Amino acid sequence: MRRLLLMRHAKTEKDSASDKDRDRRLDDRGHRDSAAIGTWLADHDLLPDRVLVSSAERARQTWDLLSRDWPQRPAEFRDDLYTADTSNLLTIIREAAGEDPHRLMIVAHNPSLHEIALAFTAAGPAKAREALRHHMPTGAVAVIDFAVDDWGDVAFRRGRLDRFVTPRQLREGAGRDMIGE
């Protein structure tokens, strides 16, 4: 089995000092949400073996705050995740086969992250699938399992959404069935 954790960067400021989208930073809520999701992932034994992070500042900050209390987990910062569409993301995920992690995490951007999560998901808890179908807000994590031995075999409509959690659900103490537990 292979487990994919797809995380959208946390909440950001509207503009950057440089006026470049790539340089936008997390706002105060983004800081809190990243740390909360990181704690939730650790508490649920969902720490990744390999991590790929968009090189955009908001994704890098999300990763730093998310993983600050985890055991050492180096991340690979990639420019191609900033502009990746679903086809590019599928290629990036399949190429993870070289290092063969059992748990791969990607921290990147919408709309492509949401689109690929939907494209992968064929099964899983109904409420979690419905929540994911509706929206993948900032800071959200979709945990998708694939019954394959190699990342090269990952394909659309072959994944099972194990869990879907948003920072808002954590703040509001959402029911277990909503996040797939």
Side-chain angles (χ1 to χ4, degrees):
M1 185 182 84
R2 295 294 179 261
R3 175 165 274 177
L4 178 64
L5 295 95
L6 298 173
M7 181 175 184
R8 183 177 176 199
H9 64 77
K11 184 79 173 157
T12 65
E13 60 191 8
K14 293 190 186 313
D15 298 305
S16 70
S18 70
D19 285 330
K20 294 180 182 173
D21 180 70
R22 184 180 283 273
D23 295 337
R24 287 174 41 217
R25 301 177 56 81
L26 298 183
D27 65 13
D28 289 341
R29 191 177 93 197
H31 282 259
R32 289 189 306 271
D33 289 350
S34 296
I37 291 290
T39 299
W40 183 85
L41 289 167
D43 288 349
H44 290 83
D45 192 28
L46 292 170
L47 300 185
D49 301 318
R50 183 171 183 208
V51 181
L52 306 176
V53 180
S54 163
S55 60
E57 182 62 25
R58 59 192 177 271
R60 294 174 73 96
Q61 284 186 300
T62 297
W63 168 248
D64 289 343
L65 292 163
L66 176 76
S67 64
R68 72 177 175 200
D69 294 327
W70 296 357
Q72 182 70 16
R73 296 217 189 304
E76 180 183 339
F77 298 100
R78 297 179 56 142
D79 290 333
D80 58 350
L81 286 172
Y82 178 68
T83 57
D85 61 17
T86 53
S87 177
N88 300 128
L89 282 174
L90 180 60
T91 299
I92 290 166
I93 291 164
R94 286 180 172 168
E95 287 173 353
E99 294 185 26
D100 199 28
H102 282 83
R103 293 179 180 182
L104 173 65
M105 179 176 221
I106 295 179
V107 180
H109 312 273
N110 270 359
S112 56
L113 214 56
H114 185 224
E115 292 167 353
I116 201 162
L118 293 172
F120 279 146
T121 303
K127 286 187 179 182
R129 285 194 341 255
E130 179 59 24
L132 173 62
R133 186 191 66 74
H134 176 67
H135 184 49
M136 188 166 191
T138 55
V141 177
V143 180
I144 304 169
D145 292 332
F146 296 91
V148 298
D149 293 325
D150 188 289
W151 286 103
D153 296 329
V154 166
F156 294 146
R157 306 296 303 156
R158 296 289 175 97
R160 180 188 183 282
L161 181 64
D162 180 67
R163 302 171 201 202
F164 178 67
V165 66
T166 68
R168 183 177 190 175
Q169 289 170 330
L170 294 181
R171 285 191 300 273
E172 295 175 355
R176 293 179 146 231
D177 60 345
M178 184 61 164
I179 56 177
E181 292 185 277

